[in-house]
Amino acid sequence: MTSMHEFVEEWLPGYDGTQFYTRTYAATFPKAVVLFMHGFAEHVGRYEHAHVQYPARHITLFAFDVRGYGRTALDTEHKSRDMAYSKTSWDAQLRDIEFFGHHLAQTYPGTPLYLMGHSAGGAAVLTYFTRSSAPPSPEGTRLFKAVIASSPCITLTHPKPRIVRWAGSKLALLRPWQLIPADVGIENITRNQASRDAYAKDPLIKKTGSLRALDDMLTGGEKLLTDDYAKWPKDLPLLIVHGTADQVTSCDASKQFFEKVPALDKKISLYEGGYHELVQEPDGIPDRLVNECISWIETHLPAKSPSAPGTPAEAKL
């Protein structure tokens, strides 16, 4: 375990022993804990400017480089021997959410836990509660008090032709870890030129993806809109945030999902003119986004809390 800046980084074994790079932005006495899942082909380091704001509002945020991406896949010193870039699947990622959810529940006993994801991570956190087959387990879904999905990848703004998707799906069965081009375009990420430049130079960001990872992501997102939305637990609060000018993931799909999902407590917040990565946008949008997410969590804290919540337990998974 090492401390860097305003977070603690650790390498932690997942449910199958895979080593994950993790960051904890720890509040001294947290009133809530957030489990965060980033998007396709990126890593948690890109969110540092946003995540450091959570402890100041008495919220601990735990983030990890998703299976197949970031340092979890590319750190030559610490990554698991059989891990490779984009070697991942939807089912494994859902198991990872459940595993780290239990890890946080044991580390911060009695502190309410919230689940948040961006883009592909946003679709994954929605899928986590709407799959009828394992994973996850019913016990795992009850870990979380509420959910935030940022620019979720339900469908792409400019989807590929059906024949291309069909061919990719078939090839994924034969060569699941075959990498193919998957460039979303730097110009579509954000209007912030400094963020674009950083994205272009980032050695942990690749412009490819495996056939299995891409097929799982796109198919899983589509199922959210066609069928799985109906399985959403009615008593689980949901916040969706999306930029109206997103050229990567469809803002219209988010609006359709929001209308369909049977949550009794739900909100969609649209950022007019916002691009895909609201957390990287100019004009004060990142701070506005962070404030909205934290404020929403604060309004969804349990009415009664233990007398001394949030103290990390000695034993960890």
Side-chain angles (χ1 to χ4, degrees):
M1 179 190 301
T2 58
S3 179
M4 295 178 59
H5 308 295
E6 298 181 48
F7 59 85
V8 171
E9 61 176 3
E10 294 179 274
W11 284 88
L12 297 176
Y15 75 87
D16 60 352
T18 295
Q19 292 293 316
F20 286 85
Y21 172 74
T22 74
R23 287 188 177 192
T24 302
Y25 296 81
T28 304
F29 296 105
K31 58 189 176 185
V33 178
V34 174
L35 172 57
F36 177 81
M37 193 168 185
H38 67 73
F40 171 79
E42 56 158 352
H43 60 94
V44 295
R46 303 184 66 242
Y47 296 82
E48 182 176 342
H49 63 289
H51 289 172
V52 294
Q53 299 183 53
Y54 282 75
R57 298 276 290 272
H58 309 291
I59 295 174
T60 289
L61 188 144
F62 176 91
F64 63 100
D65 278 357
V66 173
R67 179 183 298 264
Y69 302 113
R71 291 179 64 179
T72 296
L74 298 171
D75 189 298
T76 54
E77 183 179 352
H78 297 96
K79 75 179 184 71
S80 294
R81 183 178 302 177
D82 63 344
M83 177 49 62
Y85 174 78
S86 205
K87 187 176 181 181
T88 188
S89 70
W90 216 234
D91 283 353
Q93 289 183 26
L94 297 184
R95 292 183 191 275
D96 295 335
I97 291 174
E98 179 157 340
F99 178 86
F100 285 117
H102 281 293
H103 166 72
L104 292 173
Q106 292 187 19
T107 305
Y108 301 91
T111 307
L113 183 59
Y114 299 79
L115 184 59
M116 181 178 182
H118 170 71
S119 194
V125 303
L126 297 177
T127 300
Y128 182 77
F129 297 95
T130 55
R131 279 215 171 170
S132 56
S133 58
S137 69
E139 178 190 0
T141 60
R142 288 193 291 269
L143 286 168
F144 302 97
K145 300 297 183 184
V147 182
I148 300 173
S150 166
S151 310
C153 184
I154 298 173
T155 64
L156 299 178
T157 304
H158 306 288
K160 299 295 183 183
R162 284 288 174 183
I163 186 64
V164 174
R165 284 287 314 284
W166 179 86
S169 181
K170 297 302 181 185
L171 284 172
L173 297 174
L174 300 174
R175 304 186 66 179
W177 314 130
Q178 174 69 47
L179 297 178
I180 62 171
D183 185 5
V184 299
I186 293 177
E187 69 280 2
N188 295 323
I189 294 295
T190 174
R191 296 169 294 161
N192 187 324
Q193 189 58 48
S195 293
R196 288 180 176 182
D197 293 343
Y199 184 94
K201 298 174 183 176
D202 196 326
L204 294 179
I205 294 178
K206 307 296 181 182
K207 297 179 180 180
T208 59
S210 71
L211 287 166
R212 174 72 182 276
L214 288 165
D215 185 54
D216 277 9
M217 177 179 69
L218 297 175
T219 301
E222 289 175 349
K223 286 182 177 178
L224 281 169
L225 202 55
T226 56
D227 300 298
D228 290 352
Y229 69 88
K231 303 185 187 77
W232 187 268
K234 291 183 179 181
D235 60 348
L236 181 66
L238 171 64
L239 170 64
I240 298 175
V241 293
H242 214 131
T244 61
D246 191 335
Q247 296 300 305
V248 180
T249 62
S250 171
C251 182
D252 286 340
S254 281
K255 290 189 283 188
Q256 292 174 42
F257 181 83
F258 173 77
E259 292 297 328
K260 287 183 171 185
V261 69
L264 297 175
D265 181 350
K266 60 181 178 178
K267 177 184 178 183
I268 186 167
S269 182
L270 302 178
Y271 285 63
E272 190 63 35
Y275 275 33
H276 181 60
E277 294 192 346
L278 295 173
V279 77
Q280 304 291 349
E281 279 284 78
D283 306 325
I285 288 179
D287 288 341
R288 175 185 158 195
L289 173 69
V290 169
N291 183 65
E292 177 171 23
C293 291
I294 292 176
S295 297
W296 190 81
I297 290 169
E298 290 173 337
T299 62
H300 289 83
L301 290 170
K304 294 182 179 180
S305 299
S307 57
T311 303
E314 291 295 323
K316 292 188 177 182
L317 293 179

